Every structure is written in C-alpha cells, then in structure tokens.
Amino acid sequence: MTWCRWAATVICLAVVVTAQIQWPVPPVPDQLAFHGISDDRFSQLRRQARQFVEARPRQGFEFVGQRQDAAFQIYCRGVPVLWLERRSHYLLLQISLDARQRATDIVRLRALLQWQIEPLDYLEQVLAGVPKPVLMDRMLRVLAGEVPDGVRCGTR
C-alpha cells in the first residue's frame, strides 16, 4: 500500500512540474512605492512609457492602459514586465523579477520613471500598507535562471 502512495505522489509531482514547464507563470514583480502624483504628472509618465514602446515597433513590446488612466502595463511577448499603478495614497511601480533577462530596456525605462517621482520611505510604506517583496520572491529570482532567446524583447 505504501508503494502505491509513493508512486502516486511521484506521478503527481511529475504532472505539476510538466505543467509549469509548459505554461510558465510570470515571475512575481519587484515593487517600489512612491508619493502620489497629479493627473498631469501621471499622464506624462504614461506618455513616456507609450513612446518607449512605440520607439521599438518590432521588438515585442506592447503598451496596455488600464482602469481609466490609473494604471498601465508594458508586456514583452505577452508577459507583463513593467506596471505603474496609482493607488489611493501612493504610486506603485513594479517590474518582473526576470526583466533584466527578458527585456533589458525595461530596466532603463524603470530608472527613467523612478528618477521623476519621489519614493516613500520605509515607515511611509508600512503606514500606507504597501505590499513588500518577501524572501520567496528573492528565491524565485535566483531560481528563475536564463530566459530563452525567443521570448526576449529589445536589445541585450
């Protein structure tokens, strides 16, 4: 009887691993919180992100606006790699953990956007309830490994 349970466990684990290989889930994003900004300022950041995508027409990037000008995302070949979202008390800027491997240019765009907005300090983030990366996120970054050439965007 124990042999059957052991075999069933091995088969279940094999199915889970195979499913994850076939349909990879985008890595958990790295998050940074910033002070809230005006509608005009947010529109300017949104415009810069759109121009970033439009300047790279054949590199696999896609700009997706969301929620009545309160958020936008940039995708790399169908996988979200950067998002900026206005929340009630702060602005949240995120990039995926594999952005450096998947879309190197996104890291530069994030730096450009970050340079223009003021970050919240640690206490302000705690008081605002900003979700913070956890140890598991950092482990996923280490385990994520290399991104295949066919799913990368931009220059390397």
Side-chain angles (χ1 to χ4, degrees), residues 8 10 12 21 27 31 45 76-77 83 85 88 96 107 112 117:
V10 169
C12 286
I21 290 171
Q31 302 174 336
L45 297 176
C76 167
R77 305 202 189 283
W83 27 145
E85 178 182 352
S88 58
S96 65
V107 176
L112 173 69
I117 48 184

Side-chain angles (χ1 to χ4, degrees), residues 38-112:
S38 68
D39 291 343
D40 291 338
R41 190 78 178 122
F42 187 81
S43 293
Q44 183 181 19
L45 297 176
R46 182 183 180 92
R47 205 169 22 258
Q48 289 175 346
R50 186 180 294 278
Q51 289 170 349
F52 168 87
V53 171
E54 290 170 354
R56 294 158 178 78
R58 291 180 290 281
Q59 293 184 11
F61 291 108
E62 177 187 0
F63 179 91
V64 178
Q66 299 176 331
R67 295 194 338 217
Q68 299 293 333
D69 296 331
F72 64 82
Q73 292 185 345
I74 295 179
Y75 285 75
C76 167
R77 305 202 189 283
V79 177
V81 289
L82 179 140
W83 27 145
L84 186 64
E85 178 182 352
R86 290 175 77 179
R87 297 205 174 168
S88 58
H89 301 295
Y90 60 91
L91 188 67
L92 189 60
L93 175 63
Q94 304 175 50
I95 65 168
S96 65
L97 291 178
D98 66 349
R100 199 170 303 285
Q101 293 85 23
R102 184 177 296 277
T104 305
D105 294 344
I106 282 295
V107 176
R108 284 176 253 180
L109 176 62
R110 179 185 69 172
L112 173 69

Side-chain angles (χ1 to χ4, degrees), residues 32 43 83 125 140 155:
L32 293 170
S43 293
W83 27 145
Q125 289 186 43
L140 285 172
T155 58

